[in-house]
């Protein structure tokens, strides 16, 4: 089967970007390192149990307090090794409690979730590597300071999804989002979708509905309205998808629209939701915004938020702009939220 004629390969794409803006030279080297490491990751994941018990839990836990899976640690080591061969000053990872300093003379830092969705490894569901590339701060007081910048300062960001296809989804510099897919026969990534645009409207929502009883009223009201379909105030039927893998939901929304919600809720430790600002919300927000979508913490644009700590959590809502704006209205206008909630009569504004 020949490669689809005319599709640009990843190397040529980066060369062209650097030719247009020489300042992107260092970032291009980091992206090349991510691509090479992800090809190795893709091969290991593709073997599944033939490679080993990748989904087995280890005695160790990560910053989440989550038990680490074999593949979490393997992925972290693999990408850290890759960044040692690239112009990277320091790395923050979900699998490491502190920043890892590599070459302090370099001008870039990388925050990553080396393997997101690891609870899906043994279920053979798409999982991913999520990355955020930031410029170092000239006056930083310690390695951590470089990472406490709002996501709008990212120079490049995105994720690799290890699914039926292994695809590298990223935005670089001021460019639009790009999707490059791995041709295993050649061992190279080729452009699959140039500048995808997130559909402005949304007929599909992604949320873990088992947490309904823990949600605040605005989220309940929005989901209730989605479930009311054409009989409700949104006047359209909705479908629901929840893969339990951020990169899989993000990839689907990038290509067919929809809205993803992981709000804060009343469970212990979930006041700010489950997802991390630095290496999950910011990279996803970066590629979604560059594709015409929106990303918020239910109210504020994700990319404007200054992280309070390197592993800080943040509520995350992203996807079709009209839907993200509507969720913000349910939060900013509680009267609107209350009047919209068809079950308003059965509950007050705030949960008892
Ligand atoms: P794991 O890496 O522990 O599998 O978590 C995946 C994730 O961070 C993100 O990819 C999913 O969207 C979200 O958690 C799923 O969370 P719930 O298991 O609470 O639905």
């Amino acid at each position: 089967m020949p490669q689809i004629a005319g599709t640009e390969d990843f190397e040529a794409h980066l060369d062209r970007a650097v030719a247009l803006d020489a300042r992107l030279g260092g970032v291009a080297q980091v992206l090349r390192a991510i691509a090479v490491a992800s090809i190795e990751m893709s091969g290991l994941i593709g073997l599944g149990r033939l490679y080993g018990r990748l989904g087995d839990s280890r005695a160790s836990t990560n910053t989440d307090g989550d038990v680490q899976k074999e593949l979490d640690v393997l992925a972290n080591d693999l990408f850290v090794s890759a960044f040692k061969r690239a112009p990277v000053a320091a790395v923050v990872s979900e699998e490491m409690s502190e920043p890892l300093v590599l070459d302090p003379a370099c001008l870039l830092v990388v925050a990553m979730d080396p393997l997101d969705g690891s609870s899906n490894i043994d279920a053979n569901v798409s999982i991913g590597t999520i990355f955020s590339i930031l410029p170092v701060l000239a006056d930083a007081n310690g390695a951590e300071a470089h990472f406490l910048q709002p996501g709008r300062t990212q120079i490049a960001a995105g994720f690799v999804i290890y699914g039926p296809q292994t695809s590298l989804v990223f935005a670089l510099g001021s460019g639009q989002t790009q999707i490059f897919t791995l041709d295993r026969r050649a061992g190279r990534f080729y452009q699959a979708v140039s500048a995808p645009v997130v559909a402005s409207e949304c007929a599909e929502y992604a949320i873990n509905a088992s947490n309904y009883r823990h949600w605040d009223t605005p989220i309940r009201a929005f989901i209730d309205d989605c479930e009311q379909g054409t009989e409700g105030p949104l006047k359209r039927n909705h479908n629901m998808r929840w893969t339990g893998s951020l990169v899989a939901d993000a990839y689907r929304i990038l290509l067919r629209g929809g809205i993803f919600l992981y709000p804060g809720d009343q469970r212990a430790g979930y006041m700010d939701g489950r997802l991390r600002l630095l290496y999950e919300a910011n990279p996803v927000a970066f590629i979604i915004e560059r594709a015409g979508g929106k990303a918020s913490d239910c109210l504020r644009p994700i990319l404007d938020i200054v992280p309070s700590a390197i592993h800080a959590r943040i509520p995350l809502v992203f996807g079709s702009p009209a839907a993200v704006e509507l969720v913000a209205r349910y939060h900013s206008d509680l009267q609107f939220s209350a009047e919209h909630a068809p079950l308003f009569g059965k509950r007050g504004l705030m949960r008892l």
Side-chain angles (χ1 to χ4, degrees), residues 270-345:
Y270 279 78
M271 182 178 71
D272 289 322
R274 175 190 174 97
L275 302 173
R276 307 293 179 154
L277 177 54
L278 233 64
Y279 40 76
E280 289 174 325
N282 272 342
V284 169
F286 195 69
I287 56 114
I288 289 290
E289 277 204 6
R290 292 297 173 82
K294 284 187 181 278
S296 78
D297 67 348
C298 293
L299 271 169
R300 301 171 296 170
I302 286 288
L303 296 180
D304 293 341
I305 297 171
V306 178
S308 56
I310 56 174
H311 297 298
R313 297 171 191 269
I314 195 81
L316 178 59
V317 175
F318 68 83
S320 299
V324 175
E325 288 161 1
L326 182 59
V327 169
R329 184 159 181 215
Y330 277 83
H331 283 80
S332 59
D333 179 348
L334 289 180
Q335 192 54 38
F336 171 82
S337 173
E339 285 157 5
H340 258 70
L343 307 177
F344 176 59

Side-chain angles (χ1 to χ4, degrees), residues 58-69 72-73 93-97 113-115 118 274 276 279-280 311 313:
R58 297 165 60 99
S60 55
T61 61
N62 65 12
T63 56
D64 215 1
D66 272 354
V67 170
Q68 289 180 307
K69 304 285 198 275
D72 283 323
V73 175
S93 166
E94 182 173 52
E95 305 308 328
M96 301 188 297
S97 56
D113 183 352
L115 196 90
S118 50
R274 175 190 174 97
R276 307 293 179 154
Y279 40 76
E280 289 174 325
H311 297 298
R313 297 171 191 269

